[in-house]
Amino acid sequence: MEPTIIQDEVALKFETSTMPWYVAMTKPRQEKLAQENLLRQGYGVYYPQIKRLKLIRKRQQEQIEAMFPRYLFVQPASEQHSIAPIRSTFGVTSLVRFGQTPAVMQTATLMRIRRFETLQNAADFDELNPFRPGSKVAVVEGPLAGLEGLVSENAKDRVVVLMGLLGQDTRVNLSVHQIVAME
């Protein structure tokens, strides 16, 4: 099944179903395997994924990854559908519990997560880029390591930083892997 089709079915379930959503913990990097196996068993599964910028081979690239690594939201198909088999599903480690009580997510909370996921995945590179003009950065690699500056301009893999060097403001062209955003 296509991820978008699954996510659209989940959005419909948020609005129409009264069944609770439980939180399942998966094995490391096995969220998709767990999702497939839970869907085969008839459960509703919501696996939120968002677009983020990652530094890959010294270049900023957009990548889709788990919003909550190792966690899925699972909903039984009916009141008679037991949640017990979830624990023994391939890819799942356990159900999240508070004592003996399984953790339940409120539908309103899941809808807010879904809205955030939709907005984040629709964002373009500039909206995801943490290096906005005027933001403060620190140089962490290269001959200027340890110095700070302000972002003047940015592109996909280069950032122009305004730095106070030798008593005057100087525009320095840096690679995105050489700097980190500061609070």
Side-chain angles (χ1 to χ4, degrees):
M1 242 190 238
E2 289 287 315
T4 55
I5 294 170
I6 292 169
Q7 299 299 16
D8 290 342
E9 289 174 8
V10 167
L12 183 62
K13 279 189 171 223
F14 284 158
E15 297 166 9
T16 60
S17 180
T18 59
M19 294 300 298
W21 285 88
Y22 297 96
V23 183
M25 184 177 198
T26 68
K27 294 179 180 174
R29 293 176 299 287
Q30 291 192 16
E31 297 92 346
K32 289 183 182 179
L33 174 67
Q35 178 185 29
E36 290 172 13
N37 288 315
L38 288 164
L39 286 169
R40 274 193 213 113
Q41 295 175 54
Y43 292 99
V45 181
Y46 177 41
Y47 171 39
Q49 301 176 72
I50 57 173
K51 182 172 27 172
R52 291 195 175 137
L53 289 181
K54 289 289 223 178
L55 196 61
I56 301 171
R57 295 186 195 111
K58 297 185 179 185
R59 297 185 76 92
Q60 291 276 14
Q61 294 181 10
E62 294 175 359
Q63 207 173 39
I64 300 291
E65 60 183 39
M67 186 183 299
F68 306 108
R70 296 193 65 192
Y71 292 94
L72 300 173
F73 303 104
V74 183
Q75 184 184 50
S78 68
E79 289 187 27
Q80 291 75 34
H81 197 184
S82 174
I83 62 171
I86 294 172
R87 293 176 291 138
S88 59
T89 300
F90 287 117
V92 175
T93 301
S94 64
L95 274 173
V96 176
R97 296 180 179 273
F98 298 109
Q100 294 299 315
T101 309
V104 175
M105 289 295 293
Q106 299 297 318
T107 301
T109 304
L110 289 175
M111 288 178 81
R112 284 194 296 274
I113 291 170
R114 173 90 171 124
R115 277 193 296 275
F116 175 77
E117 175 187 24
T118 302
L119 289 172
Q120 185 77 7
N121 291 341
D124 63 7
F125 180 84
D126 291 334
E127 293 171 315
L128 297 173
N129 192 340
F131 307 118
R132 301 199 186 280
S135 63
K136 214 172 179 185
V137 294
V139 181
V140 293
E141 193 176 297
L144 300 174
L147 298 177
E148 298 175 2
L150 293 176
V151 174
S152 175
E153 303 170 32
N154 65 29
K156 196 160 192 145
D157 57 349
R158 304 295 293 173
V159 179
V160 177
V161 179
L162 192 59
M163 303 181 84
L165 299 173
L166 302 173
Q168 64 181 349
D169 288 339
T170 306
R171 293 166 53 94
V172 180
N173 225 349
L174 297 169
S175 175
V176 292
H177 74 277
Q178 292 179 287
I179 59 175
V180 294
M182 296 177 61
E183 298 296 318

Short mmCIF file of all heavy atoms in Angstrom, two decimals, residues 14 20 24 34 38 42 62 67-68 79 81 83 85 90 127 134 137-138 146 154 166:
data_model
loop_
_atom_site.label_atom_id
_atom_site.label_comp_id
_atom_site.label_asym_id
_atom_site.label_seq_id
_atom_site.Cartn_x
_atom_site.Cartn_y
_atom_site.Cartn_z
N PHE A 14 -9.39 9.17 12.09
CA PHE A 14 -9.36 10.16 13.17
C PHE A 14 -10.74 10.79 13.32
O PHE A 14 -11.20 11.04 14.42
CB PHE A 14 -8.37 11.28 12.87
CG PHE A 14 -6.93 10.91 13.06
CD1 PHE A 14 -5.94 11.63 12.43
CD2 PHE A 14 -6.53 9.85 13.87
CE1 PHE A 14 -4.60 11.32 12.59
CE2 PHE A 14 -5.20 9.52 14.04
CZ PHE A 14 -4.23 10.25 13.39
N PRO A 20 -10.11 3.75 20.76
CA PRO A 20 -8.91 4.43 21.26
C PRO A 20 -7.68 4.12 20.40
O PRO A 20 -7.62 3.09 19.74
CB PRO A 20 -8.74 3.85 22.66
CG PRO A 20 -9.42 2.53 22.62
CD PRO A 20 -10.55 2.67 21.63
N ALA A 24 2.48 2.02 20.35
CA ALA A 24 3.32 0.82 20.26
C ALA A 24 4.77 1.24 20.06
O ALA A 24 5.07 2.13 19.27
CB ALA A 24 2.86 -0.05 19.10
N ALA A 34 6.73 -3.01 11.24
CA ALA A 34 5.65 -3.12 12.22
C ALA A 34 4.33 -2.60 11.64
O ALA A 34 3.28 -3.23 11.82
CB ALA A 34 6.01 -2.35 13.48
N LEU A 38 0.98 -4.87 11.31
CA LEU A 38 -0.22 -4.47 12.04
C LEU A 38 -1.39 -4.24 11.08
O LEU A 38 -2.53 -4.61 11.38
CB LEU A 38 0.05 -3.22 12.88
CG LEU A 38 0.95 -3.45 14.10
CD1 LEU A 38 1.49 -2.12 14.62
CD2 LEU A 38 0.21 -4.21 15.18
N GLY A 42 -5.35 -6.09 10.58
CA GLY A 42 -6.60 -5.35 10.62
C GLY A 42 -6.60 -4.14 11.54
O GLY A 42 -7.64 -3.49 11.72
N GLU A 62 16.84 17.18 1.68
CA GLU A 62 15.56 16.90 2.31
C GLU A 62 15.39 15.40 2.43
O GLU A 62 15.71 14.65 1.51
CB GLU A 62 14.42 17.49 1.48
CG GLU A 62 14.43 18.99 1.42
CD GLU A 62 13.38 19.56 0.50
OE1 GLU A 62 12.62 18.78 -0.13
OE2 GLU A 62 13.31 20.79 0.40
N MET A 67 8.71 10.94 12.76
CA MET A 67 8.54 12.05 13.68
C MET A 67 8.87 11.60 15.10
O MET A 67 9.49 12.33 15.87
CB MET A 67 7.11 12.60 13.62
CG MET A 67 6.91 13.85 14.46
SD MET A 67 5.22 14.49 14.50
CE MET A 67 4.87 14.85 12.81
N PHE A 68 8.45 10.38 15.44
CA PHE A 68 8.73 9.79 16.74
C PHE A 68 9.43 8.45 16.49
O PHE A 68 8.77 7.42 16.39
CB PHE A 68 7.44 9.56 17.53
CG PHE A 68 6.59 10.78 17.67
CD1 PHE A 68 5.40 10.90 16.97
CD2 PHE A 68 6.97 11.82 18.49
CE1 PHE A 68 4.60 12.02 17.08
CE2 PHE A 68 6.18 12.96 18.62
CZ PHE A 68 5.00 13.06 17.91
N GLU A 79 -14.44 -3.09 19.00
CA GLU A 79 -14.30 -3.36 20.44
C GLU A 79 -13.92 -4.82 20.70
O GLU A 79 -13.33 -5.13 21.73
CB GLU A 79 -15.59 -3.00 21.17
CG GLU A 79 -15.80 -1.50 21.24
CD GLU A 79 -16.98 -1.11 22.10
OE1 GLU A 79 -17.32 -1.87 23.03
OE2 GLU A 79 -17.54 -0.04 21.85
N HIS A 81 -11.84 -6.51 18.82
CA HIS A 81 -10.48 -6.70 18.31
C HIS A 81 -9.50 -6.49 19.47
O HIS A 81 -9.31 -5.37 19.93
CB HIS A 81 -10.23 -5.71 17.18
CG HIS A 81 -9.05 -6.05 16.33
ND1 HIS A 81 -8.63 -5.21 15.32
CD2 HIS A 81 -8.21 -7.10 16.30
CE1 HIS A 81 -7.59 -5.74 14.73
NE2 HIS A 81 -7.31 -6.90 15.31
N ILE A 83 -6.09 -6.07 21.70
CA ILE A 83 -4.80 -5.41 21.49
C ILE A 83 -3.64 -6.32 21.90
O ILE A 83 -2.49 -5.99 21.67
CB ILE A 83 -4.71 -4.06 22.23
CG1 ILE A 83 -4.84 -4.25 23.75
CG2 ILE A 83 -5.72 -3.07 21.68
CD1 ILE A 83 -4.55 -3.00 24.56
N PRO A 85 -2.39 -9.13 20.58
CA PRO A 85 -1.45 -9.57 19.53
C PRO A 85 -0.46 -8.49 19.10
O PRO A 85 0.54 -8.80 18.45
CB PRO A 85 -2.36 -9.94 18.36
CG PRO A 85 -3.70 -10.18 18.95
CD PRO A 85 -3.78 -9.28 20.15
N PHE A 90 5.68 -8.85 14.47
CA PHE A 90 7.04 -8.61 13.99
C PHE A 90 7.29 -7.11 13.87
O PHE A 90 6.49 -6.38 13.28
CB PHE A 90 7.29 -9.27 12.63
CG PHE A 90 7.42 -10.75 12.70
CD1 PHE A 90 6.50 -11.57 12.06
CD2 PHE A 90 8.46 -11.34 13.41
CE1 PHE A 90 6.62 -12.95 12.12
CE2 PHE A 90 8.58 -12.71 13.48
CZ PHE A 90 7.66 -13.52 12.83
N GLU A 127 12.06 27.04 3.94
CA GLU A 127 11.32 27.00 5.20
C GLU A 127 11.94 26.02 6.20
O GLU A 127 11.82 26.20 7.41
CB GLU A 127 9.86 26.62 4.96
CG GLU A 127 9.10 27.69 4.20
CD GLU A 127 7.72 27.22 3.78
OE1 GLU A 127 7.60 26.09 3.28
OE2 GLU A 127 6.78 28.00 3.95
N GLY A 134 20.13 36.91 9.27
CA GLY A 134 19.99 37.56 10.56
C GLY A 134 20.17 36.62 11.74
O GLY A 134 20.33 37.06 12.87
N VAL A 137 25.13 32.23 14.11
CA VAL A 137 25.73 30.92 13.89
C VAL A 137 27.12 30.87 14.51
O VAL A 137 27.76 31.90 14.72
CB VAL A 137 25.82 30.55 12.38
CG1 VAL A 137 24.46 30.38 11.77
CG2 VAL A 137 26.64 31.56 11.62
N ALA A 138 27.59 29.66 14.77
CA ALA A 138 28.95 29.44 15.26
C ALA A 138 29.66 28.55 14.26
O ALA A 138 29.08 27.59 13.76
CB ALA A 138 28.92 28.77 16.63
N GLY A 146 35.26 28.25 16.15
CA GLY A 146 35.21 28.97 17.42
C GLY A 146 34.68 30.38 17.30
O GLY A 146 34.34 31.01 18.30
N ASN A 154 21.91 32.68 2.20
CA ASN A 154 22.16 31.24 2.18
C ASN A 154 21.67 30.64 0.88
O ASN A 154 20.81 31.19 0.21
CB ASN A 154 21.57 30.53 3.38
CG ASN A 154 20.07 30.57 3.45
OD1 ASN A 154 19.39 30.65 2.44
ND2 ASN A 154 19.53 30.52 4.64
N LEU A 166 39.47 41.13 12.08
CA LEU A 166 40.47 42.20 11.98
C LEU A 166 39.85 43.58 12.12
O LEU A 166 40.19 44.53 11.40
CB LEU A 166 41.26 42.09 10.67
CG LEU A 166 41.98 40.77 10.43
CD1 LEU A 166 42.56 40.72 9.02
CD2 LEU A 166 43.07 40.55 11.46
#
